[in-house]
């Protein structure tokens, strides 16, 4: 940049003069900036409109070309209080009968009231609660419950110092909803889902556990009645007791028989778990090799160690157990009471256990881990026996202790989980919820049907409601109507943009030009330009022609040609149509269209009388338009996929303007520097001249 000296010597405003001189040469830059601004506006208009076209293509066009969209069904129930029904697209038209025999229920237990003075809190321990109810339990005493929830059994182990909150947390860990309401002094428990299979039971695994359940108000008389799940659990071990003079004593022989069954079942269940553990170890081993982040590696390592430990522990437990069975047979032979089948099962089980441990050890070595040969000397049979004797004692108490039975809280409420049962066309169906999906019908049972009498076997006879299914004429009509509503809005906007008035003589304003106008004037000026940006645009013209040509086409069905006019769908014609509405379609008989509401409704009549023809016509006609629009939106050298205009070309042009403007700015800068250099030279020369004149004047005494 040249050194700049203001007009000190000449007295001229050199800065203003340079700017005026440069301004006279800056028109080319301004023209480039205006052209770029205009192109940027055009990109914005196209981008916004392209989104509308794509949404129409992706939603309305795609939906109307699918036959399934026309398979709408309408279903009514003669007694809507009994059930609501939605028909699937494949549901056959016709009439069916329905009766609701039973609604699904979610199992729940509302515990008995724990105190009247609200002295029990979530922090109250079980020992304190039992003492409050006249019992005795130390803080260190072990307490055990068995929870059966949705077919899965979980043992909860607590102690006398465990609080009510601890119990609630443990119950929630089994999948139940459990809460203690201190205000009402009751415990509320709900199953994780509705239906009989999702119901739950809570039984005491030992006398202390049963006593704790009683103190928490979680016993109900229904749990001690034949037919309940809790009763069946207690009854199993209760059968090992004999009534001797009014007291019940354990029959060791009966107990050992049941213990043998229980131990064998425990072993069989553990064998099944081995396969799960083996699969988990293998999965983690494979997954670990794919991990990259250190955090995931650490977590995966922990998971691997845990899975391998479970596998190794379970394998060792089974190995010891089955080895003890084999040893017993080898020592006592037939006197051991072990059959040939049981002996073979023991040998097979031991082999599986050894194999499972080998898998754990192999996986550990591959990952640099160590799995110990065994974590403890573990005898499955003795463990099961210990737990079974404790459970047997609880069962004896539950079934035979008069005090416990009378104290089975009368103010606790037990709701058994049950399945919903409906009869459809005379056949019964069950569900764990009140929702059924049967042969295309989605049925929601709301109330039990009225009982009208008894059948020959003494069973209830329920009143039958009627389900009527037919084609949904109104639904299909509304779908077609909505399609044309969206189509008309889009085609009208296309024509409006294409036929816009010219904005000749209007160009984007410079900052100086904007400063000379009001905000309202600037807005009107720019709107005039923006409204005309797609006037006579070739891409837009191609799109309009594609839409209109496709919609004026015909479809041949069974040898007969059909067009939109056959279904009472037409444009209003050149002279009747408003500006930019010559491509807009109107449906004869449409009550919302003042132009054609009085005409015969051919579309609805066709849907009602010949839905197949309507379906074939529209899916083929709209499918043709969808295919052509899809072709326009394919990727090319000038446009990205799913664009109907040359967006890539326009961006290249925009970037080229940026480069051209930069070049012009450099030229103007160079010109400005040249002018300043010239003025600086002039100022220097005049300064010297002034100096000389002063010197000469001084010689003459001036």
């Amino acid at each position: 940049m040249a050194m700049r000296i203001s007009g000190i010597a000449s007295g001229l405003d050199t800065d203003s003069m340079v700017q005026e001189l440069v301004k006279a040469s800056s028109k080319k830059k301004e023209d480039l900036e205006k052209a770029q601004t205009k192109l940027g506006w055009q990109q914005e208009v196209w981008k916004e409109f392209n989104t509308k076209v794509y949404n129409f293509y992706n939603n309305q066009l795609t939906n109307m070309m699918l036959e399934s969209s026309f398979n709408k069904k309408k279903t009514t129930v003669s007694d809507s209080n009994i059930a609501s029904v939605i028909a699937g697209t494949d549901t056959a038209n016709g009439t069916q009968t329905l009766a609701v025999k039973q609604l699904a229920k979610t199992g729940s237990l509302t515990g008995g009231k724990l105190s009247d003075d609200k002295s029990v809190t979530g922090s109250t321990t079980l020992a304190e609660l039992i003492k409050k109810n006249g019992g005795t339990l130390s803080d260190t005493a072990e307490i055990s419950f068995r929870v059966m929830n949705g077919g899965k059994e979980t043992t909860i182990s607590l102690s006398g110092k465990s609080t009510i909150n601890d119990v609630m947390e443990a119950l929630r860990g089994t999948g139940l909803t459990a809460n203690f309401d201190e205000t009402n002094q009751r415990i509320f428990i709900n199953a994780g889902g509705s239906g009989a299979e999702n119901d739950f039971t809570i039984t005491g695994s030992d006398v202390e556990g049963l006593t704790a359940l009683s103190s928490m108000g979680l016993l109900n008389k229904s749990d001690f009645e034949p037919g309940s799940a809790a009763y069946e659990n207690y009854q199993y071990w209760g059968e090992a007791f004999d009534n001797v003079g009014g007291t019940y004593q354990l029959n060791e022989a009966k107990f050992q028989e049941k213990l043998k069954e229980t131990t064998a079942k425990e072993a069989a269940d553990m064998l099944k778990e081995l396969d799960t553990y083996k699969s988990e170890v293998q999965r983690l081993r494979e997954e670990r090799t794919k991990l990259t982040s250190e955090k995931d590696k650490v977590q995966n390592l922990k998971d691997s160690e845990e899975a391998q430990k479970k596998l190794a522990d379970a394998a060792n437990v089974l190995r010891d157990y089955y080895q003890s069975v084999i040893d017993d047979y080898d020592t006592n032979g037939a006197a051991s009471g072990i059959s040939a089948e049981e002996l073979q099962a023991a040998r097979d089980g031991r082999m599986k256990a050894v194999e499972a441990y080998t898998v754990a050890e192999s996986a550990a070595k591959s990952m640099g881990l160590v799995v110990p040969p065994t974590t403890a000397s573990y005898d499955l049979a003795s463990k099961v026996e210990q737990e079974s004797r404790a459970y047997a004692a609880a069962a004896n108490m539950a079934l035979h202790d008069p005090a416990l039975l009378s104290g089975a809280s009368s103010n606790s409420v037990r709701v058994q989980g049950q399945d919903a049962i409906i009869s459809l066309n005379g056949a019964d169906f069950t569900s764990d919820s009140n929702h059924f999906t049967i042969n295309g019908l989605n049925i929601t049972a709301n109330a039990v049907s009225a009982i009208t009498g008894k059948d020959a076997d003494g069973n209830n006879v329920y009143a039958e409601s009627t389900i009527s299914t037919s084609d949904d004429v109104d639904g299909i009509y509304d779908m077609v109507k909505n399609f044309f509503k969206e189509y008309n809005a889009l085609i009208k906007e296309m024509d409006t943009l294409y036929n816009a008035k010219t904005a000749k003589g209007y160009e984007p304003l410079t900052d100086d030009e904007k400063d000379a106008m009001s905000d309202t004037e600037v807005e009107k000026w720019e709107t005039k330009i923006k409204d005309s940006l797609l006037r006579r645009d070739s891409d837009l013209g191609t799109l309009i022609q594609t839409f209109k040509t496709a919609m004026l086409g015909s479809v041949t069905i069974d040898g007969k040609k059909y067009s939109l006019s056959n279904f009472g769908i037409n444009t209003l014609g050149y002279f009747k149509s408003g500006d930019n509405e010559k491509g807009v379609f109107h449906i004869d008989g449409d009550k919302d269209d003042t132009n054609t509401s009085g005409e015969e409704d051919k579309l609805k009549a066709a849907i009602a009388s010949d839905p197949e023809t309507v379906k074939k016509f529209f899916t083929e006609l709209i499918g043709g338009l969808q295919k052509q629009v899809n072709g326009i939106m394919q990727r090319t050298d000038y446009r990205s996929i799913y664009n109907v205009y040359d967006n890539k070309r326009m961006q290249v042009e925009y970037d080229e303007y940026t480069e051209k403007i930069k070049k012009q700015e450099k030229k103007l800068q160079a010109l400005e520097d040249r002018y300043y250099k010239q003025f600086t030279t002039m100022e220097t020369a005049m300064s010297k001249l002034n100096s000389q004149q002063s010197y000469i004047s001084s010689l003459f005494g001036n």
Side-chain angles (χ1 to χ4, degrees), residues 73-85:
K73 300 291 181 177
K74 181 180 180 181
T75 300
T76 58
V77 183
S78 59
D79 187 349
S80 58
N81 294 321
I82 297 301
S84 58
V85 182

Side-chain angles (χ1 to χ4, degrees), residues 31-73:
D31 289 344
L32 289 172
E33 288 175 334
K34 289 182 177 183
Q36 186 183 46
T37 299
K38 195 171 182 179
L39 179 58
W41 289 346
Q42 192 175 26
Q43 286 177 299
E44 291 175 5
V45 172
W46 258 124
K47 186 176 181 180
E48 181 181 349
F49 183 67
N50 189 83
T51 299
K52 295 179 181 179
V53 175
Y54 176 74
N55 288 338
F56 182 78
Y57 162 84
N58 199 43
N59 296 310
Q60 279 74 29
L61 286 184
T62 300
N63 182 55
M64 285 287 287
M65 66 177 285
L66 298 175
E67 290 190 2
S68 58
S69 299
F70 289 83
N71 294 337
K72 297 183 184 296
K73 300 291 181 177

Side-chain angles (χ1 to χ4, degrees), residues 315-501:
N316 281 313
V317 168
L318 287 180
R319 182 198 63 194
D320 291 348
Y321 166 68
Y322 284 125
Q323 187 62 56
S324 68
V325 175
I326 296 169
D327 291 345
D328 191 12
Y329 181 83
D330 290 343
T331 302
N332 301 308
S336 65
I338 300 170
S339 66
E341 290 79 9
E342 290 172 323
L343 179 63
Q344 187 59 48
R347 287 173 176 162
D348 292 343
R350 190 182 186 285
M351 288 297 294
K352 286 186 177 182
V354 172
E355 177 192 349
Y357 180 81
T358 302
V359 170
E361 187 177 40
S362 172
K365 288 180 179 178
S366 71
M367 289 184 274
L369 305 175
V370 176
V371 175
T374 180
T375 55
S377 177
Y378 203 120
D379 188 340
L380 178 65
S382 62
K383 173 180 179 291
V384 175
E385 180 173 359
Q386 181 182 0
E387 293 177 350
S388 297
R389 287 189 183 278
Y391 198 21
N396 182 39
M397 183 180 183
L399 295 173
H400 307 129
D401 186 336
L404 184 71
L405 292 174
S406 62
S409 187
S410 58
N411 61 351
S412 68
V413 179
R414 183 75 165 93
V415 175
Q416 302 291 339
Q418 70 178 27
D419 292 335
I421 304 174
I422 66 171
S423 174
L424 183 65
N425 300 324
D428 285 351
F429 298 89
T430 61
S431 171
D432 59 11
S433 72
N434 290 318
H435 302 285
F436 296 79
T437 300
I438 305 170
N439 194 29
L441 291 176
N442 295 294
I443 303 170
T444 300
N446 299 323
V448 176
S449 301
I451 298 174
T452 59
K454 300 281 185 179
D455 61 15
D457 298 323
N459 299 315
N460 290 333
V461 176
Y462 296 86
E464 291 184 331
S465 300
T466 300
I467 300 175
S468 300
T469 304
S470 60
D471 291 320
D472 186 0
V473 174
D474 289 335
I476 297 171
Y477 179 88
D478 289 341
M479 180 183 68
V480 175
K481 178 179 174 179
N482 183 66
F483 168 80
F484 279 102
K485 178 181 177 182
E486 298 294 330
Y487 173 89
N488 289 341
L490 190 64
I491 201 71
K492 183 177 179 180
E493 184 171 358
M494 288 188 202
D495 280 342
T496 300
L497 292 170
Y498 189 79
N499 298 323
K501 293 181 180 179

